[in-house]
């Protein structure tokens, strides 16, 4: 086998590609109060190079897809999330204090909005806290605080 091909085949075997594995699974998603929000199916794909998310909103028939991957060239994680309403969110970041922290900018009705997603393993659950800032990061508002509980 050619050396370059061997390197490519082994590329996603680095421990960096396992940093977000705590989120892989089938999940029942609730709010902090326990109110059902939806279901999420998170798998590893493309020879373990990509964390693939399929989110089903419980109160709306909408579906969202997320692709999250470690970019070794930049040393950062990247996520692109899209949903049935045409919403597109691009985030970048990495592990901070044991949590996956991804940040990015989008524009809503012409206004620049900062986004920060933090995924934290909490026992057998995972908390995803998504906050937004409309003032350049001076203040933050919670957009989504979802708790992912493993389903059998």
């Amino acid at each position: 086998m050619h050396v370059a091909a061997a390197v490519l085949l082994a590329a996603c075997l680095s421990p960096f590609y396992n940093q977000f594995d705590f989120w892989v699974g089938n999940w029942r998603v609730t709010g902090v109060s326990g109110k059902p929000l939806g279901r999420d199916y998170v798998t590893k794909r493309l020879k373990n190079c990509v964390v693939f998310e399929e989110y089903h909103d419980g109160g709306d028939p909408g579906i969202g897809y997320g692709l999250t991957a470690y970019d070794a060239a930049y040393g950062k994680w990247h996520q692109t999330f899209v949903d049935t309403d045409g919403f597109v969110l691009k985030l970048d970041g990495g592990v901070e204090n044991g949590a996956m922290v991804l940040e990015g900018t989008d524009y809503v009705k012409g206004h620049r909005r900062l986004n920060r997603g933090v995924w934290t393993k909490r026992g057998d659950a995972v908390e995803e806290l998504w906050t937004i800032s409309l003032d350049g990061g001076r203040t933050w508002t919670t957009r989504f605080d979802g708790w992912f509980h493993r389903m059998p």
Side-chain angles (χ1 to χ4, degrees):
M1 179 181 293
H2 190 270
V3 174
V7 169
L8 284 175
L9 288 174
C12 298
L13 298 177
S14 158
F16 288 106
Y17 291 90
N18 299 323
Q19 291 177 325
F20 212 2
D21 284 3
F22 66 86
W23 190 37
V24 172
N26 293 327
W27 305 97
R28 177 178 52 85
V29 184
T30 68
V32 176
S33 67
K35 176 185 175 188
L37 298 178
R39 302 223 184 262
D40 206 18
Y41 307 96
V42 183
T43 57
K44 294 285 286 278
R45 298 197 180 172
L46 301 176
K47 298 182 182 178
N48 290 322
C49 293
V50 174
V51 177
F52 178 80
E53 172 189 19
E54 181 178 323
Y55 182 78
H56 294 259
D57 191 326
D60 177 343
I63 296 174
Y65 292 119
L67 291 174
T68 309
Y70 180 72
D71 187 336
Y74 291 98
K76 292 185 178 184
W77 281 84
H78 171 78
Q79 181 181 89
T80 299
F81 182 85
V82 296
D83 70 14
T84 52
D85 292 328
F87 177 71
V88 177
L89 183 59
K90 299 174 192 175
L91 305 168
D92 293 294
V95 175
E96 296 179 16
N97 299 318
M100 181 61 71
V101 180
L102 303 174
E103 299 176 326
T105 302
D106 69 348
Y107 295 86
V108 175
K109 298 179 183 174
H111 297 285
R112 183 173 183 259
R113 182 170 77 169
L114 300 179
N115 294 268
R116 179 184 296 142
V118 179
W119 290 259
T120 306
K121 184 172 176 19
R122 307 243 187 244
D124 291 335
V126 174
E127 178 187 18
E128 177 188 341
L129 179 61
W130 174 18
T131 55
I132 59 171
S133 175
L134 300 174
D135 58 12
R138 288 187 298 278
T139 61
W140 293 87
T141 304
T142 298
R143 174 85 169 92
F144 177 81
D145 191 355
W147 283 74
F148 295 70
H149 308 276
R150 287 200 186 274
M151 294 189 314

